Amino acid sequence: MSATLPVLDYTADMLRQLAEADVHRALAEDVGAGDLTAALVPAGKTASARILAREAAVICGVPWAEAALRQVAPGAQWTWRVAEGQRCQPDQTVLEMTGLARGLLTAERTVLNFLQLLSAVATRTADYVAAVAQVPSLDGETGRVRARIVDTRKTLPGLRLAQKYAVHCGGGWNHRIGLYDAVLIKENHIAAAGGVTEVLAQVRATASITAVAKFIEIEVETLAQLEEALQAGATMVLLDNMDLPTLREAVRINAGRAILEVSGGVNMGTVREIAATGVDRISIGALTKDVKAVDFSMRFVDL
């Protein structure tokens, strides 16, 4: 069963507009009224520079790096040596630039900040995707992965769309973008509504929700709750913090009736076994929440 997921429109125009807005905010907090240190460099001096990756990574953040150069280094020219979504090796040149030295210096930290964050998200996502790539589906076939790696709303404030794009760039899938485009009924919603059956009936009867929600999903913590949700017509169920035997039993009980998603307890040591239970989706907050920045540096080669 394939999961119905919100899909961002990752067109060149969408990414450029998103990157321009993100970079505008980043430059406002970094540059303010002007770069005092770059002012020490003669105004008309030109230079060439390159950005090096100090470790292996999946490159992500090209639109953001280019937006920073456009905004503070007008007239600069650049060439990417590693394309968006491709892997680089340690000490490999990723980007070469030529332009006014002042502009390149002012853009440096903003370019690196976006590259180090988004490449980290893409790299971690790619590692999880690779980890489940050879897990056989329930019919025993490998190379046809049943479980998709999915992100969450655990993102840096103001950078959610950028991080979700990075997940996409790393081969993962986007969950709901925010509270406005899909329904995820959690334990507090269930308690407030009076139970699993009651909350599902209520959400289906609310026209303002059903008219816009891309999907309606309910979180369950026990097999009894799963059975109740299925009896109430749930089509997407989030299995929260269940151990492997319970997950396998949940897949058996479900029998293909609903899309099953797993959350909680997912790491590189457990993700293969979770995927092997036969669930459809594995959502991982750590893709965007706990990332360690990829190490990049910029060096002038002709100044």
Side-chain angles (χ1 to χ4, degrees), residues 26-27 29-31 35 51 68 72 103-117 293-299:
L27 290 172
E29 67 183 7
D30 193 37
V31 181
D35 183 345
I51 289 180
V72 295
L104 296 181
L105 288 166
T106 299
E108 176 181 0
R109 177 43 52 198
T110 298
V111 169
L112 294 177
N113 280 352
F114 279 107
L115 283 177
Q116 71 186 22
L117 170 65
V294 174
D295 188 8
F296 292 98
S297 65
M298 187 172 104
R299 292 290 182 267

Side-chain angles (χ1 to χ4, degrees), residues 71-150:
Q71 291 187 34
V72 295
Q77 297 181 335
W78 55 81
T79 301
W80 289 94
R81 297 304 181 190
V82 183
E84 188 90 323
Q86 300 300 307
R87 283 194 175 269
C88 66
Q89 300 305 313
D91 298 320
Q92 184 174 358
T93 296
V94 172
L95 174 64
E96 294 177 343
M97 303 164 285
T98 302
L100 292 175
R102 281 189 180 183
L104 296 181
L105 288 166
T106 299
E108 176 181 0
R109 177 43 52 198
T110 298
V111 169
L112 294 177
N113 280 352
F114 279 107
L115 283 177
Q116 71 186 22
L117 170 65
L118 300 184
S119 295
V121 173
T123 302
R124 174 166 288 188
T125 302
D127 289 344
Y128 274 100
V129 170
V132 302
Q134 295 305 312
V135 174
S137 58
L138 290 185
D139 59 12
E141 293 185 19
T142 58
R144 186 167 67 82
V145 181
R146 184 180 182 88
R148 291 175 171 174
I149 300 300
V150 181

Side-chain angles (χ1 to χ4, degrees), residues 219 238-242 261-266 281-284:
E219 177 186 86
L238 175 62
L239 308 173
D240 185 43
N241 282 300
M242 292 183 178
E261 178 181 332
V262 170
S263 71
V266 183
R281 301 175 5 177
I282 304 173
S283 56
I284 308 171

Side-chain angles (χ1 to χ4, degrees), residues 271-293:
V271 70
R272 287 178 185 267
E273 290 182 311
I274 291 172
T277 65
V279 295
D280 300 288
R281 301 175 5 177
I282 304 173
S283 56
I284 308 171
L287 298 181
T288 52
K289 178 173 68 73
D290 301 326
V291 292
K292 178 183 178 295

Side-chain angles (χ1 to χ4, degrees), residues 156-228:
L156 294 177
L159 291 175
R160 176 169 297 173
L161 294 183
Q163 286 192 281
K164 282 183 172 285
Y165 164 72
V167 168
H168 168 81
C169 207
W173 290 74
N174 298 143
H175 206 285
R176 58 179 175 166
I177 309 306
L179 296 173
Y180 57 87
D181 64 335
V183 173
L184 177 50
I185 304 165
K186 306 196 77 169
E187 66 271 19
N188 289 331
H189 302 106
I190 294 171
V196 168
T197 301
E198 290 80 3
V199 75
L200 284 170
Q202 184 174 329
V203 73
R204 290 196 190 95
T206 307
S208 60
I209 294 176
T210 56
V212 297
K214 292 185 173 68
F215 62 78
I216 297 171
E217 182 174 15
I218 186 165
E219 177 186 86
V220 301
E221 297 176 324
T222 67
L223 294 177
Q225 281 189 323
L226 170 61
E227 290 179 319
E228 183 180 356

